[in-house]
Amino acid sequence: MKILTEDYPFIPYFPETIVEEEMMTRSRGFYHHANKRRSIRHFSNRPIPRQIVENIVRTAGTAPSGANKQPWTFVVVSDPKLKSKIRIAAEIEEKEFYKRKITDEWRKDLAPLGTDWKKPYLDIAPIIIVVFRQVYSFDTNKTKRKHYFVMESIGIAVGMLITAIHNSGLVTLTHTPSPMKFLREILKRPINEKPFVLMPVGYPAENVTVPDIKRKKLSEILVWK
Ligand code: IYR
């Protein structure tokens, strides 16, 4: 098969042009904004407008991906019956984790977060976004099409999703009960999709508290060569 690059013309790219002083201000401001984000485990049941959720998912959908396959599906669950099914199934796995699977080291590492098997936020938060990774896809003739670097691509998209949620003034938590197979069944997703992460999204509960964790210093995470 001969592939002609002429068949795929490029289009001009118009970058936003900003002066260095403005770049400095923006990068500092964005860091301060990002640094205010915290994972939240206690939610208000206050509903959130659908359009905000759509904008958040649109933003995640701008992520780069292997061969631009965009190998993701964002399932937004607001139906209380489905949320409750997810909670019941997640708590079964979490109970097993905290009672049997967890190691001593892991228990010690989780102690500052104050977590346990109970996940009431899965009922309380107005929505749960379940992100599925598409291991492959089907084209219009139902032929399997390959996807590339799916884990990397979806990790980037979820990072952008989290940032978009925070930017809109909402809070979330990345939750990965293990195994997560139940999500495909409850949400009736096709066989090419595997659950990647589950994220309750909403407003924080009143007077919510968070663990007193510290971020690593820049010198610990940045290496100049
Ligand atoms: N999935 C469990 C345990 C847990 C594991 C890690 I690694 C965390 O950073 C936090 C929790 C739970 O959600 O409680």
Side-chain angles (χ1 to χ4, degrees):
M1 180 177 53
K2 186 132 173 61
I3 295 156
L4 298 171
T5 47
E6 304 90 276
D7 290 344
Y8 302 93
F10 275 40
I11 55 168
Y13 172 65
F14 299 104
E16 248 188 286
T17 47
I18 45 175
V19 296
E20 261 180 27
E21 197 184 304
E22 171 71 3
M23 290 163 74
M24 215 74 85
T25 314
R26 277 216 220 174
S27 60
R28 194 187 306 115
F30 194 68
Y31 157 61
H32 283 296
H33 164 71
N35 197 30
K36 286 208 188 90
R37 188 202 56 79
R38 294 298 309 264
S39 293
I40 297 297
R41 292 183 169 82
H42 303 279
F43 287 77
S44 148
N45 61 3
R46 182 175 162 193
I48 52 181
R50 209 183 170 97
Q51 281 181 10
I52 296 178
V53 179
E54 289 178 352
N55 288 334
I56 287 166
V57 172
R58 273 195 186 100
T59 302
T62 68
S65 62
N68 190 35
K69 294 289 182 172
Q70 305 171 56
W72 41 63
T73 307
F74 302 90
V75 179
V76 178
V77 184
S78 58
D79 176 356
K81 286 198 208 81
L82 283 179
K83 286 196 294 173
S84 165
K85 274 192 185 172
I86 292 174
R87 176 183 177 179
I88 291 165
E91 286 185 336
I92 290 171
E93 298 305 343
E94 294 295 12
K95 230 181 203 164
E96 185 65 15
F97 171 73
Y98 283 98
K99 290 213 166 120
R100 272 178 273 278
K101 292 190 188 161
I102 196 169
T103 60
D104 287 345
E105 183 181 1
W106 204 340
R107 196 183 292 283
K108 206 160 155 262
D109 284 339
L110 289 185
L113 307 183
T115 55
D116 61 25
W117 64 267
K118 296 186 210 99
K119 305 298 174 193
Y121 53 72
L122 294 174
D123 273 325
I124 297 168
I127 62 163
I128 305 171
I129 303 184
V130 186
V131 185
F132 285 86
R133 60 185 165 101
Q134 299 171 0
V135 185
Y136 56 89
S137 60
F138 298 102
D139 67 14
T140 39
N141 312 318
K142 304 227 166 78
T143 315
K144 267 195 193 183
R145 307 307 317 188
K146 281 212 183 329
H147 284 177
Y148 313 94
F149 298 99
V150 171
M151 282 297 195
E152 291 82 350
S153 305
I154 199 145
I156 296 166
V158 168
M160 294 180 67
L161 185 71
I162 292 168
T163 309
I165 291 167
H166 176 58
N167 180 246
S168 69
L170 297 169
V171 298
T172 189
L173 168 74
T174 49
H175 180 198
T176 51
S178 172
M180 278 196 287
K181 293 194 296 279
F182 63 86
L183 290 168
R184 233 200 88 228
E185 289 148 23
I186 293 175
L187 300 173
K188 301 192 167 64
R189 297 309 304 163
I191 43 160
N192 62 317
E193 292 187 5
K194 292 211 164 92
F196 181 75
V197 71
L198 177 165
M199 297 169 57
V201 180
Y203 293 91
E206 242 174 83
N207 303 317
V208 75
T209 58
V210 291
D212 186 17
I213 53 168
K214 300 279 180 276
R215 307 213 196 273
K216 288 183 179 174
K217 293 199 295 283
L218 186 64
S219 59
E220 296 175 275
I221 62 169
L222 171 65
V223 179
W224 290 99
K225 291 277 187 194

